[in-house]
Amino acid sequence: MSDIMVLKNVKKTYKEMTAVNDLSLNIKKGEVFALLGANGAGKTTTIKMILGLAKASSGDIEIESGAKIGYSPETPYFPEYLTGMEVMKYYAGIEGDKSKKDTAYLKGLLELTGLSDNKIKVKNYSKGMIQRLALAQALISDPDILILDEPTAGLDALGRKHNLELLKRLKEEGKTVIINSHILHDIEAVCDRGVIMKKGKVIDTWTKGESEERLEDKFVRLVGEE
Amino acid sequence: MRGLIEKDLRLTLVRKQTLIIFLVMAIVMGLSNNGAFLIAYLTMLALVVGTGSISYDEYDNGFPFLMTLPFDRKTYVREKYVFSLIAAVAAWCFGALVFAVMDMVRNNGAGLSEIPMMTAVIPSMYLATAIIVPLQLKFGAEKSRIALFVIFGIVAVLAIGSSSFLADSVNPFVSVINILHDLPGAVTILILIAVCALVTAISYLCSVRIMENKEF
């Protein structure tokens, strides 16, 4: 598999604080990749730099030419007076691609994420429903790379199972998925590879099936070390 | 950019209370027969709504999410200027229509000749947008209000100070007003449009720079 995204010696500093320090990653086309680490490890800053929301202080981020990115944030905000379908039309409108504004296409995305085209307004959505809507929204442009920040946080067991099944399906469709999550069971269930970050640096890598040690045990062992 | 304009239009239309207030104001002011004030007031309100769309984008940490969508920051900035202009022109036309109808009913159209000169309202008011947009992008909705007060405060102090210490013949503020007053109406409007275009162009370049350097 070829690389769809390469980060070379990326560093991000905020005044005197180094959020990401000499980070190098290569993410392959079609894989589900995990960014792991405790709070403050630099995962969110890394995602922000990939998305162009923050500029790297040094280093390079190379993304395959023409690759589209979809993003589902951890705490999405949608105009609360809109219904799920209206939200989808609203974002499809911003993205400007006429073919993506088609009601049937958007309805299909809502159903794919376990929502339906009903008259319920976002203000009456549960946290899980908003999370699913964020995922549906991230899929509007039919992205090549999907970046999901805590995609199963706040979901009940059924919602989590549904989202994990969906991620497997997206992987089968050839999409590259980058996940930032604290729920390590979910990472083990869907991810192929990942890195464990601490204080802005990669301290170890993880590959599915590489060892007998559970990811959670490895994570606690590495991240817990001083 | 069309998608962004559609977004802001939808957000504006959702705020029905604002639109109803617009309508009631227009009717009340139309009845009072003060055409110039009606048109200027509606245009100003429309510009407040136009630039206010930045605050809405900012609301509840919405900017980072919005900025991950497939449009560049330059397009976002351009849309804010275009949307504000569309809002101002639409409000001006609506105000002019209300004024024209009222004038036809009450004065048999005697005041209709005033309407072309009232187009001066758009570039004059739009100058405020050119100042507000970069401030909002740089400082956010709350802090930009303080920055705006500071700027207008400085201008006011300069204007009042100059009138206190300088004779009218050498006061630049008075000179500009006198020159504009003596010019034919159409020329004054053209000058206003040119000044507005120049200030807007500078403001746009500043806004693009602010937005391109902004981190979320």
Side-chain angles (χ1 to χ4, degrees), chain A residues 12 14 48 51-55 71 73 76-79 81-82 86 90-91 93-95 98 101 137, chain B residues 2-4 6-7 10-11 14 56 59-60 64-71 73 212-216:
Chain A
K12 177 67 186 175
Y14 293 102
K48 281 184 176 181
L51 289 167
L53 296 174
K55 284 178 186 165
Y71 171 58
Y77 170 75
F78 298 115
Y81 44 81
L82 300 179
E86 285 169 341
Y90 176 88
Y91 282 97
I94 295 173
E95 294 187 14
K98 276 187 184 170
K101 287 186 186 178
Q137 172 278 136
Chain B
R2 207 173 144 185
L4 286 169
E6 199 181 312
K7 169 188 81 74
R10 283 177 73 114
L11 290 178
V14 161
Y56 199 89
Y59 179 70
D60 212 0
F65 191 20
L66 188 65
M67 287 301 144
T68 61
L69 297 174
F71 55 82
R73 295 182 184 200
E212 287 185 340
N213 288 324
K214 198 170 173 123
E215 299 204 343
F216 300 96

Side-chain angles (χ1 to χ4, degrees), chain A residues 16-86:
Chain A
E16 287 164 19
M17 201 265 286
T18 302
V20 174
N21 195 357
D22 201 29
L23 177 70
S24 292
L25 293 176
N26 64 317
I27 296 167
K28 297 184 187 303
K29 204 178 271 187
E31 76 173 342
V32 183
F33 189 90
L35 284 174
L36 306 170
N39 292 334
K43 309 183 299 288
T44 301
T45 307
T46 303
I47 285 179
K48 281 184 176 181
M49 287 190 287
I50 292 170
L51 289 167
L53 296 174
K55 284 178 186 165
S57 306
S58 62
D60 288 318
I61 298 176
E62 291 168 8
I63 299 171
E64 189 182 80
S65 173
K68 285 184 278 184
I69 299 181
Y71 171 58
S72 169
E74 181 183 0
T75 46
Y77 170 75
F78 298 115
E80 56 182 21
Y81 44 81
L82 300 179
T83 66
M85 177 54 91
E86 285 169 341

Side-chain angles (χ1 to χ4, degrees), chain B residues 25-26 28-43 91-92 94-103 106-107 111-112 114-115 117-119 121:
Chain B
M25 291 267 195
V28 170
M29 282 187 264
L31 288 171
S32 75
N33 210 17
N34 189 341
F37 186 73
L38 163 72
I39 293 171
Y41 194 74
L42 285 180
T43 307
W92 187 94
F94 178 63
L97 184 69
V98 172
F99 171 69
V101 170
M102 294 295 184
D103 195 63
R106 298 169 71 162
N107 306 319
L112 292 181
E114 291 174 27
I115 291 179
M117 269 311 287
M118 290 179 195
T119 49
V121 162

Side-chain angles (χ1 to χ4, degrees), chain A residues 184 196 198 203-206 210-226:
Chain A
L184 300 175
I196 300 171
K198 188 176 178 181
I203 54 168
D204 207 345
T205 59
W206 168 82
E210 69 175 349
S211 80
E212 298 270 307
E213 186 182 24
R214 286 170 56 225
L215 176 59
E216 194 167 345
D217 295 334
K218 181 173 184 168
F219 183 86
V220 170
R221 177 170 56 80
L222 291 166
V223 174
E225 279 174 2
E226 269 308 317

Side-chain angles (χ1 to χ4, degrees), chain B residues 77-108:
Chain B
V77 170
R78 202 181 312 134
E79 188 270 341
K80 290 301 166 200
Y81 287 91
V82 171
F83 181 68
S84 296
L85 186 61
I86 292 171
V89 171
W92 187 94
C93 291
F94 178 63
L97 184 69
V98 172
F99 171 69
V101 170
M102 294 295 184
D103 195 63
M104 287 294 286
V105 171
R106 298 169 71 162
N107 306 319
N108 288 326

Side-chain angles (χ1 to χ4, degrees), chain A residues 171-222:
Chain A
K171 176 182 157 60
E172 283 167 13
E173 285 177 18
K175 298 210 184 297
T176 306
V177 184
I178 301 171
I179 298 180
N180 172 12
S181 176
H182 284 100
I183 306 173
L184 300 175
H185 294 292
D186 293 349
I187 296 292
E188 277 187 309
V190 295
C191 292
D192 302 305
R193 275 192 323 133
V195 288
I196 300 171
M197 295 176 70
K198 188 176 178 181
K199 293 178 183 170
K201 282 187 165 186
V202 171
I203 54 168
D204 207 345
T205 59
W206 168 82
T207 306
K208 194 172 195 166
E210 69 175 349
S211 80
E212 298 270 307
E213 186 182 24
R214 286 170 56 225
L215 176 59
E216 194 167 345
D217 295 334
K218 181 173 184 168
F219 183 86
V220 170
R221 177 170 56 80
L222 291 166

